[in-house]
mmCIF file of all heavy atoms in Angstrom:
data_model
loop_
_atom_site.group_PDB
_atom_site.id
_atom_site.type_symbol
_atom_site.label_atom_id
_atom_site.label_comp_id
_atom_site.label_asym_id
_atom_site.label_seq_id
_atom_site.Cartn_x
_atom_site.Cartn_y
_atom_site.Cartn_z
ATOM 1 N N GLN A 1 2.429 -7.262 10.497
ATOM 2 C CA GLN A 1 1.012 -7.357 11.032
ATOM 3 C C GLN A 1 1.058 -7.846 12.529
ATOM 4 O O GLN A 1 0.450 -7.211 13.344
ATOM 5 C CB GLN A 1 0.256 -8.343 10.180
ATOM 6 C CG GLN A 1 -1.221 -8.361 10.735
ATOM 7 C CD GLN A 1 -2.134 -9.098 9.773
ATOM 8 O OE1 GLN A 1 -1.933 -9.139 8.626
ATOM 9 N NE2 GLN A 1 -3.099 -9.800 10.351
ATOM 10 N N VAL A 2 2.008 -8.660 12.794
ATOM 11 C CA VAL A 2 2.044 -9.146 14.200
ATOM 12 C C VAL A 2 2.596 -7.999 15.019
ATOM 13 O O VAL A 2 1.877 -7.648 16.135
ATOM 14 C CB VAL A 2 3.010 -10.256 14.356
ATOM 15 C CG1 VAL A 2 3.321 -10.662 15.814
ATOM 16 C CG2 VAL A 2 2.480 -11.520 13.725
ATOM 17 N N TYR A 3 3.508 -7.250 14.601
ATOM 18 C CA TYR A 3 4.079 -6.219 15.582
ATOM 19 C C TYR A 3 3.131 -5.152 15.771
ATOM 20 O O TYR A 3 2.819 -4.681 16.825
ATOM 21 C CB TYR A 3 5.337 -5.683 14.827
ATOM 22 C CG TYR A 3 6.041 -4.503 15.759
ATOM 23 C CD1 TYR A 3 7.067 -5.053 16.675
ATOM 24 C CD2 TYR A 3 5.733 -3.345 15.545
ATOM 25 C CE1 TYR A 3 7.565 -4.037 17.469
ATOM 26 C CE2 TYR A 3 6.371 -2.303 16.420
ATOM 27 C CZ TYR A 3 7.334 -2.862 17.407
ATOM 28 O OH TYR A 3 7.784 -1.911 18.162
ATOM 29 N N LEU A 4 2.442 -4.709 14.620
ATOM 30 C CA LEU A 4 1.432 -3.640 14.696
ATOM 31 C C LEU A 4 0.112 -4.008 15.657
ATOM 32 O O LEU A 4 -0.372 -3.210 16.214
ATOM 33 C CB LEU A 4 1.052 -3.148 13.402
ATOM 34 C CG LEU A 4 2.082 -2.502 12.554
ATOM 35 C CD1 LEU A 4 1.566 -2.101 11.218
ATOM 36 C CD2 LEU A 4 2.650 -1.167 13.289
ATOM 37 N N TYR A 5 -0.286 -5.293 15.541
ATOM 38 C CA TYR A 5 -1.242 -5.718 16.375
ATOM 39 C C TYR A 5 -0.927 -5.706 17.783
ATOM 40 O O TYR A 5 -1.809 -5.419 18.745
ATOM 41 C CB TYR A 5 -1.830 -7.078 15.911
ATOM 42 C CG TYR A 5 -2.948 -7.118 14.851
ATOM 43 C CD1 TYR A 5 -2.582 -6.565 13.594
ATOM 44 C CD2 TYR A 5 -4.309 -7.459 15.218
ATOM 45 C CE1 TYR A 5 -3.734 -6.564 12.695
ATOM 46 C CE2 TYR A 5 -5.212 -7.474 14.243
ATOM 47 C CZ TYR A 5 -4.941 -6.858 12.965
ATOM 48 O OH TYR A 5 -5.941 -6.923 12.118
ATOM 49 N N ILE A 6 0.254 -6.184 18.152
ATOM 50 C CA ILE A 6 0.825 -6.083 19.501
ATOM 51 C C ILE A 6 0.673 -4.594 19.940
ATOM 52 O O ILE A 6 0.223 -4.244 21.019
ATOM 53 C CB ILE A 6 2.075 -6.712 19.702
ATOM 54 C CG1 ILE A 6 1.922 -8.196 19.295
ATOM 55 C CG2 ILE A 6 2.661 -6.487 21.197
ATOM 56 C CD1 ILE A 6 1.231 -8.975 20.327
ATOM 57 N N MET A 7 1.185 -3.738 19.187
ATOM 58 C CA MET A 7 1.272 -2.355 19.508
ATOM 59 C C MET A 7 -0.107 -1.584 19.765
ATOM 60 O O MET A 7 -0.363 -0.947 20.670
ATOM 61 C CB MET A 7 1.847 -1.454 18.454
ATOM 62 C CG MET A 7 3.363 -1.707 18.345
ATOM 63 S SD MET A 7 4.254 -1.378 19.879
ATOM 64 C CE MET A 7 4.527 -3.020 20.579
ATOM 65 N N ARG A 8 -1.174 -2.179 18.885
ATOM 66 C CA ARG A 8 -2.610 -1.743 19.080
ATOM 67 C C ARG A 8 -2.889 -2.232 20.472
ATOM 68 O O ARG A 8 -3.665 -1.564 21.294
ATOM 69 C CB ARG A 8 -3.444 -2.423 18.067
ATOM 70 C CG ARG A 8 -3.469 -1.976 16.778
ATOM 71 C CD ARG A 8 -4.238 -2.696 15.737
ATOM 72 N NE ARG A 8 -4.444 -2.123 14.448
ATOM 73 C CZ ARG A 8 -5.210 -2.573 13.522
ATOM 74 N NH1 ARG A 8 -5.977 -3.677 13.810
ATOM 75 N NH2 ARG A 8 -5.356 -1.972 12.448
ATOM 76 N N SER A 9 -2.624 -3.401 20.914
ATOM 77 C CA SER A 9 -3.057 -4.079 22.125
ATOM 78 C C SER A 9 -2.523 -3.143 23.369
ATOM 79 O O SER A 9 -3.250 -3.404 24.416
ATOM 80 C CB SER A 9 -2.730 -5.492 22.251
ATOM 81 O OG SER A 9 -3.184 -6.295 21.116
ATOM 82 N N VAL A 10 -1.419 -2.658 23.136
ATOM 83 C CA VAL A 10 -0.880 -1.781 24.379
ATOM 84 C C VAL A 10 -1.089 -0.386 24.110
ATOM 85 O O VAL A 10 -0.424 0.440 24.670
ATOM 86 C CB VAL A 10 0.646 -2.164 24.484
ATOM 87 C CG1 VAL A 10 0.834 -3.667 24.838
ATOM 88 C CG2 VAL A 10 1.358 -1.742 23.381
ATOM 89 N N GLU A 11 -2.176 -0.081 23.286
ATOM 90 C CA GLU A 11 -2.603 1.236 23.180
ATOM 91 C C GLU A 11 -1.650 2.271 22.375
ATOM 92 O O GLU A 11 -1.587 3.412 22.608
ATOM 93 C CB GLU A 11 -3.150 1.929 24.518
ATOM 94 C CG GLU A 11 -4.163 1.064 25.118
ATOM 95 C CD GLU A 11 -4.615 1.597 26.514
ATOM 96 O OE1 GLU A 11 -3.837 1.382 27.466
ATOM 97 O OE2 GLU A 11 -5.639 2.298 26.581
ATOM 98 N N ARG A 12 -0.881 1.643 21.552
ATOM 99 C CA ARG A 12 0.093 2.460 20.707
ATOM 100 C C ARG A 12 -0.593 2.428 19.307
ATOM 101 O O ARG A 12 -0.064 1.672 18.384
ATOM 102 C CB ARG A 12 1.487 1.854 20.718
ATOM 103 C CG ARG A 12 2.208 1.680 22.007
ATOM 104 C CD ARG A 12 2.328 3.118 22.563
ATOM 105 N NE ARG A 12 3.130 2.998 23.903
ATOM 106 C CZ ARG A 12 2.684 2.929 25.080
ATOM 107 N NH1 ARG A 12 1.320 2.842 25.195
ATOM 108 N NH2 ARG A 12 3.362 2.796 26.115
ATOM 109 N N ILE A 13 -1.726 3.059 19.211
ATOM 110 C CA ILE A 13 -2.449 3.118 17.932
ATOM 111 C C ILE A 13 -1.922 3.855 16.742
ATOM 112 O O ILE A 13 -1.931 3.504 15.687
ATOM 113 C CB ILE A 13 -3.878 3.739 18.229
ATOM 114 C CG1 ILE A 13 -4.457 2.832 19.490
ATOM 115 C CG2 ILE A 13 -4.825 3.459 17.081
ATOM 116 C CD1 ILE A 13 -4.737 1.580 19.339
ATOM 117 N N GLN A 14 -1.180 4.991 17.169
ATOM 118 C CA GLN A 14 -0.827 5.947 16.144
ATOM 119 C C GLN A 14 0.188 5.362 15.084
ATOM 120 O O GLN A 14 0.274 5.681 14.002
ATOM 121 C CB GLN A 14 -0.223 7.207 16.765
ATOM 122 C CG GLN A 14 -1.158 7.952 17.478
ATOM 123 C CD GLN A 14 -1.445 7.372 18.940
ATOM 124 O OE1 GLN A 14 -0.939 6.474 19.346
ATOM 125 N NE2 GLN A 14 -2.322 8.124 19.656
ATOM 126 N N VAL A 15 1.143 4.361 15.700
ATOM 127 C CA VAL A 15 2.229 3.986 14.818
ATOM 128 C C VAL A 15 1.676 3.131 13.568
ATOM 129 O O VAL A 15 2.076 3.289 12.467
ATOM 130 C CB VAL A 15 3.103 3.051 15.576
ATOM 131 C CG1 VAL A 15 2.464 1.924 16.246
ATOM 132 C CG2 VAL A 15 4.235 2.557 14.680
ATOM 133 N N ALA A 16 0.566 2.406 13.799
ATOM 134 C CA ALA A 16 -0.037 1.605 12.687
ATOM 135 C C ALA A 16 -0.708 2.404 11.761
ATOM 136 O O ALA A 16 -0.645 2.425 10.479
ATOM 137 C CB ALA A 16 -1.113 0.611 13.251
ATOM 138 N N THR A 17 -1.310 3.498 12.248
ATOM 139 C CA THR A 17 -1.990 4.456 11.370
ATOM 140 C C THR A 17 -0.868 5.229 10.313
ATOM 141 O O THR A 17 -1.167 5.307 9.111
ATOM 142 C CB THR A 17 -2.684 5.687 12.078
ATOM 143 O OG1 THR A 17 -3.585 5.129 13.027
ATOM 144 C CG2 THR A 17 -3.356 6.582 11.198
ATOM 145 N N PHE A 18 0.250 5.623 10.897
ATOM 146 C CA PHE A 18 1.279 6.161 10.156
ATOM 147 C C PHE A 18 1.817 5.167 9.090
ATOM 148 O O PHE A 18 2.178 5.549 8.031
ATOM 149 C CB PHE A 18 2.429 6.664 11.057
ATOM 150 C CG PHE A 18 3.608 7.224 10.374
ATOM 151 C CD1 PHE A 18 3.665 8.531 9.682
ATOM 152 C CD2 PHE A 18 4.794 6.479 10.190
ATOM 153 C CE1 PHE A 18 4.580 8.947 9.093
ATOM 154 C CE2 PHE A 18 5.808 6.889 9.498
ATOM 155 C CZ PHE A 18 5.826 8.223 8.949
ATOM 156 N N VAL A 19 2.065 3.958 9.612
ATOM 157 C CA VAL A 19 2.717 2.865 8.686
ATOM 158 C C VAL A 19 1.728 2.640 7.540
ATOM 159 O O VAL A 19 2.177 2.570 6.447
ATOM 160 C CB VAL A 19 3.002 1.668 9.437
ATOM 161 C CG1 VAL A 19 3.363 0.597 8.573
ATOM 162 C CG2 VAL A 19 4.111 1.917 10.466
ATOM 163 N N TYR A 20 0.569 2.493 7.847
ATOM 164 C CA TYR A 20 -0.400 1.983 6.823
ATOM 165 C C TYR A 20 -0.794 3.183 5.822
ATOM 166 O O TYR A 20 -0.886 2.926 4.701
ATOM 167 C CB TYR A 20 -1.717 1.386 7.266
ATOM 168 C CG TYR A 20 -1.700 0.008 8.053
ATOM 169 C CD1 TYR A 20 -2.229 -0.138 9.312
ATOM 170 C CD2 TYR A 20 -0.848 -0.834 7.458
ATOM 171 C CE1 TYR A 20 -2.099 -1.494 9.804
ATOM 172 C CE2 TYR A 20 -0.649 -2.147 7.881
ATOM 173 C CZ TYR A 20 -1.356 -2.437 9.055
ATOM 174 O OH TYR A 20 -1.266 -3.708 9.627
ATOM 175 N N LEU A 21 -0.828 4.401 6.372
ATOM 176 C CA LEU A 21 -1.041 5.540 5.500
ATOM 177 C C LEU A 21 0.188 5.748 4.547
ATOM 178 O O LEU A 21 -0.064 5.920 3.360
ATOM 179 C CB LEU A 21 -1.192 6.799 6.291
ATOM 180 C CG LEU A 21 -1.452 8.125 5.619
ATOM 181 C CD1 LEU A 21 -2.773 7.961 4.682
ATOM 182 C CD2 LEU A 21 -1.796 9.281 6.528
ATOM 183 N N SER A 22 1.386 5.594 5.064
ATOM 184 C CA SER A 22 2.514 5.737 4.143
ATOM 185 C C SER A 22 2.482 4.650 3.180
ATOM 186 O O SER A 22 2.938 4.888 2.064
ATOM 187 C CB SER A 22 3.751 5.618 5.035
ATOM 188 O OG SER A 22 3.853 6.538 5.983
ATOM 189 N N SER A 23 2.202 3.408 3.496
ATOM 190 C CA SER A 23 2.081 2.320 2.439
ATOM 191 C C SER A 23 1.055 2.653 1.523
ATOM 192 O O SER A 23 1.269 2.284 0.216
ATOM 193 C CB SER A 23 1.796 0.994 3.281
ATOM 194 O OG SER A 23 1.583 0.011 2.430
ATOM 195 N N LEU A 24 -0.049 3.052 1.824
ATOM 196 C CA LEU A 24 -1.153 3.377 0.855
ATOM 197 C C LEU A 24 -0.670 4.479 -0.242
ATOM 198 O O LEU A 24 -0.810 4.290 -1.303
ATOM 199 C CB LEU A 24 -2.412 3.869 1.579
ATOM 200 C CG LEU A 24 -3.481 4.329 0.657
ATOM 201 C CD1 LEU A 24 -4.105 3.169 -0.299
ATOM 202 C CD2 LEU A 24 -4.790 4.964 1.531
ATOM 203 N N ILE A 25 -0.098 5.552 0.326
ATOM 204 C CA ILE A 25 0.403 6.630 -0.713
ATOM 205 C C ILE A 25 1.513 6.101 -1.618
ATOM 206 O O ILE A 25 1.387 6.299 -2.676
ATOM 207 C CB ILE A 25 0.946 7.796 0.226
ATOM 208 C CG1 ILE A 25 -0.194 8.465 1.037
ATOM 209 C CG2 ILE A 25 1.623 8.707 -0.654
ATOM 210 C CD1 ILE A 25 0.402 9.503 2.096
ATOM 211 N N CYS A 26 2.357 5.311 -1.034
ATOM 212 C CA CYS A 26 3.451 4.587 -1.792
ATOM 213 C C CYS A 26 2.722 3.666 -2.714
ATOM 214 O O CYS A 26 3.129 3.823 -4.041
ATOM 215 C CB CYS A 26 4.316 3.796 -0.876
ATOM 216 S SG CYS A 26 5.570 2.830 -1.845
ATOM 217 N N ASN A 27 1.783 2.798 -2.438
ATOM 218 C CA ASN A 27 1.064 2.002 -3.539
ATOM 219 C C ASN A 27 0.422 2.782 -4.565
ATOM 220 O O ASN A 27 0.444 2.367 -5.761
ATOM 221 C CB ASN A 27 0.124 1.113 -2.633
ATOM 222 C CG ASN A 27 -0.479 -0.001 -3.559
ATOM 223 O OD1 ASN A 27 -1.611 0.041 -3.920
ATOM 224 N ND2 ASN A 27 0.502 -1.101 -3.731
ATOM 225 N N ILE A 28 -0.300 3.839 -4.183
ATOM 226 C CA ILE A 28 -0.965 4.606 -5.201
ATOM 227 C C ILE A 28 -0.088 5.189 -6.224
ATOM 228 O O ILE A 28 -0.188 4.997 -7.449
ATOM 229 C CB ILE A 28 -1.913 5.693 -4.491
ATOM 230 C CG1 ILE A 28 -3.029 5.096 -3.648
ATOM 231 C CG2 ILE A 28 -2.408 6.644 -5.612
ATOM 232 C CD1 ILE A 28 -3.640 6.149 -2.907
ATOM 233 N N ILE A 29 1.029 5.913 -5.770
ATOM 234 C CA ILE A 29 1.922 6.392 -6.576
ATOM 235 C C ILE A 29 2.617 5.296 -7.668
ATOM 236 O O ILE A 29 2.800 5.584 -8.775
ATOM 237 C CB ILE A 29 3.039 7.179 -5.826
ATOM 238 C CG1 ILE A 29 2.291 8.280 -4.987
ATOM 239 C CG2 ILE A 29 4.110 7.709 -6.836
ATOM 240 C CD1 ILE A 29 3.307 9.083 -4.210
ATOM 241 N N LEU A 30 3.033 4.232 -6.970
ATOM 242 C CA LEU A 30 3.741 3.171 -7.855
ATOM 243 C C LEU A 30 2.761 2.591 -8.618
ATOM 244 O O LEU A 30 3.177 2.189 -9.861
ATOM 245 C CB LEU A 30 4.465 2.236 -6.821
ATOM 246 C CG LEU A 30 5.602 2.850 -5.894
ATOM 247 C CD1 LEU A 30 6.090 1.629 -5.142
ATOM 248 C CD2 LEU A 30 6.747 3.387 -6.830
ATOM 249 N N ASN A 31 1.582 2.402 -8.226
ATOM 250 C CA ASN A 31 0.588 1.717 -9.165
ATOM 251 C C ASN A 31 0.378 2.604 -10.361
ATOM 252 O O ASN A 31 0.390 1.988 -11.533
ATOM 253 C CB ASN A 31 -0.817 1.708 -8.493
ATOM 254 C CG ASN A 31 -1.181 0.250 -8.019
ATOM 255 O OD1 ASN A 31 -0.409 -0.700 -8.222
ATOM 256 N ND2 ASN A 31 -2.224 0.150 -7.240
ATOM 257 N N ALA A 32 0.253 3.853 -10.210
ATOM 258 C CA ALA A 32 0.148 4.847 -11.355
ATOM 259 C C ALA A 32 1.308 4.649 -12.320
ATOM 260 O O ALA A 32 1.263 4.678 -13.565
ATOM 261 C CB ALA A 32 -0.139 6.315 -10.889
ATOM 262 N N ILE A 33 2.599 4.689 -11.772
ATOM 263 C CA ILE A 33 3.712 4.581 -12.423
ATOM 264 C C ILE A 33 3.850 3.305 -13.259
ATOM 265 O O ILE A 33 4.074 3.214 -14.420
ATOM 266 C CB ILE A 33 4.958 4.942 -11.551
ATOM 267 C CG1 ILE A 33 4.970 6.298 -11.086
ATOM 268 C CG2 ILE A 33 6.265 4.564 -12.407
ATOM 269 C CD1 ILE A 33 6.054 6.464 -9.993
ATOM 270 N N PHE A 34 3.739 2.202 -12.626
ATOM 271 C CA PHE A 34 3.889 0.844 -13.337
ATOM 272 C C PHE A 34 2.835 0.370 -14.047
ATOM 273 O O PHE A 34 3.028 -0.095 -15.167
ATOM 274 C CB PHE A 34 4.124 -0.161 -12.050
ATOM 275 C CG PHE A 34 5.356 0.019 -11.327
ATOM 276 C CD1 PHE A 34 5.501 -0.385 -9.939
ATOM 277 C CD2 PHE A 34 6.526 0.659 -11.869
ATOM 278 C CE1 PHE A 34 6.669 -0.037 -9.259
ATOM 279 C CE2 PHE A 34 7.677 0.983 -11.124
ATOM 280 C CZ PHE A 34 7.748 0.493 -9.766
ATOM 281 N N ILE A 35 1.589 0.674 -13.673
ATOM 282 C CA ILE A 35 0.425 0.206 -14.546
ATOM 283 C C ILE A 35 0.280 0.993 -15.724
ATOM 284 O O ILE A 35 0.150 0.479 -16.943
ATOM 285 C CB ILE A 35 -0.976 0.231 -13.716
ATOM 286 C CG1 ILE A 35 -0.747 -0.882 -12.611
ATOM 287 C CG2 ILE A 35 -2.108 -0.108 -14.568
ATOM 288 C CD1 ILE A 35 -1.997 -0.724 -11.678
ATOM 289 N N PHE A 36 0.368 2.308 -15.645
ATOM 290 C CA PHE A 36 0.237 3.180 -16.830
ATOM 291 C C PHE A 36 1.413 3.732 -17.499
ATOM 292 O O PHE A 36 1.298 4.385 -18.614
ATOM 293 C CB PHE A 36 -0.832 4.327 -16.476
ATOM 294 C CG PHE A 36 -2.021 3.809 -15.852
ATOM 295 C CD1 PHE A 36 -2.385 4.060 -14.469
ATOM 296 C CD2 PHE A 36 -2.957 3.165 -16.674
ATOM 297 C CE1 PHE A 36 -3.450 3.640 -14.011
ATOM 298 C CE2 PHE A 36 -4.179 2.743 -16.011
ATOM 299 C CZ PHE A 36 -4.472 2.941 -14.740
ATOM 300 N N GLY A 37 2.550 3.297 -17.075
ATOM 301 C CA GLY A 37 3.820 3.710 -17.559
ATOM 302 C C GLY A 37 4.038 5.352 -17.513
ATOM 303 O O GLY A 37 4.587 5.890 -18.485
ATOM 304 N N MET A 38 3.998 5.798 -16.392
ATOM 305 C CA MET A 38 4.365 7.231 -16.115
ATOM 306 C C MET A 38 5.774 7.464 -15.869
ATOM 307 O O MET A 38 6.533 6.505 -15.525
ATOM 308 C CB MET A 38 3.455 7.759 -14.973
ATOM 309 C CG MET A 38 1.953 7.750 -15.199
ATOM 310 S SD MET A 38 1.046 8.262 -13.606
ATOM 311 C CE MET A 38 1.473 9.868 -13.599
ATOM 312 N N PHE A 39 6.238 8.686 -16.243
ATOM 313 C CA PHE A 39 7.492 9.108 -15.966
ATOM 314 C C PHE A 39 8.700 8.234 -16.679
ATOM 315 O O PHE A 39 9.629 7.961 -16.215
ATOM 316 C CB PHE A 39 7.931 9.202 -14.493
ATOM 317 C CG PHE A 39 6.976 10.028 -13.645
ATOM 318 C CD1 PHE A 39 6.069 9.475 -12.803
ATOM 319 C CD2 PHE A 39 6.893 11.458 -13.776
ATOM 320 C CE1 PHE A 39 5.167 10.196 -12.016
ATOM 321 C CE2 PHE A 39 6.022 12.075 -13.057
ATOM 322 C CZ PHE A 39 5.149 11.623 -12.269
#
């Protein structure tokens, strides 16, 4: 969070978008696998 907020402050916005979007996709997939016992 500290690193991404500093990057925001120097107008490097895209990196945080990519990082958080990747994290969300990973979380959704792993949630489905672990919570409901898929695969």
Side-chain angles (χ1 to χ4, degrees):
Q1 186 169 326
V2 168
Y3 187 86
L4 293 178
Y5 267 67
I6 295 293
M7 290 303 102
R8 284 178 174 183
S9 301
V10 298
E11 300 177 286
R12 301 295 185 269
I13 308 297
Q14 294 83 357
V15 59
T17 304
F18 176 76
V19 169
Y20 287 141
L21 181 59
S22 300
S23 174
L24 175 61
I25 294 171
C26 174
N27 188 257
I28 291 173
I29 294 172
L30 294 179
N31 258 354
I33 293 173
F34 295 147
I35 294 175
F36 304 114
M38 298 175 63
F39 305 112

